[in-house]
Amino acid sequence: MRAWLLRGLVLAVVHAAVQTGEAWVRAGNPAAIGWLRPTALGVLVGVAVLWAGLDGWLGRERYGMVWFKAALLAGPVGGVLGVIGQGLFVDDTGVEALPVAITGGAAFIALLVLVPAGIGLLIGRTARPVGDKPSVTSER
């Protein structure tokens, strides 16, 4: 499986799970929004930073483009999966929420993957020991 496909699909599922869990908690406790939203964003950002940081630390070449493609995939797929999850587990969210999920929501999700992944790649590359040669792994 291509690296960008795996990363994009996993992060789309993580985003959908976090979005559904957030909606479920908000439905039961509307006052929880003060701590819930930053925690949810922190989980999403943390997964992208750690995974991309590992890629950078391992010295994988051309993984900036891999993460760019992964973000483009994770955006719309995560938005659609989030709407499906909310509709199945939380409330009566239906097809009317899809246009927002695959436009503005998808762009937001893509940025939540791309920006932390870029930071993670940078941190991972700088954390590698000096003289450590990068691996020859490349994405096609």
Side-chain angles (χ1 to χ4, degrees):
M1 179 179 284
R2 299 224 182 247
W4 63 269
L5 187 61
L6 175 66
R7 284 157 179 76
L9 290 177
V10 167
L11 287 170
V13 169
V14 167
H15 181 273
V18 167
Q19 180 182 352
T20 302
E22 180 185 355
W24 182 71
V25 170
R26 272 189 295 132
N29 184 10
I33 195 72
W35 61 269
L36 185 62
R37 177 93 13 117
T39 303
L41 289 175
V43 167
L44 297 172
V45 167
V47 169
V49 166
L50 289 175
W51 199 348
L54 180 63
D55 285 341
W57 187 70
L58 292 173
R60 295 184 172 149
E61 295 295 320
R62 298 182 45 183
Y63 262 65
M65 187 55 73
V66 168
W67 279 100
F68 179 73
K69 291 177 184 177
L72 291 180
L73 176 67
V77 173
V80 170
L81 290 177
V83 169
I84 291 170
Q86 283 183 357
L88 289 175
F89 300 115
V90 180
D91 54 19
D92 292 331
T93 302
V95 184
E96 71 279 352
L98 280 177
V100 173
I102 59 176
T103 56
F108 183 66
I109 296 167
L111 284 175
L112 277 179
V113 172
L114 187 60
V115 172
I119 294 169
L121 282 170
L122 181 67
I123 291 171
R125 286 183 184 146
T126 58
R128 260 195 352 227
V130 175
D132 193 19
K133 293 185 179 184
S135 67
V136 187
T137 307
S138 67
E139 177 61 23
R140 296 179 188 175

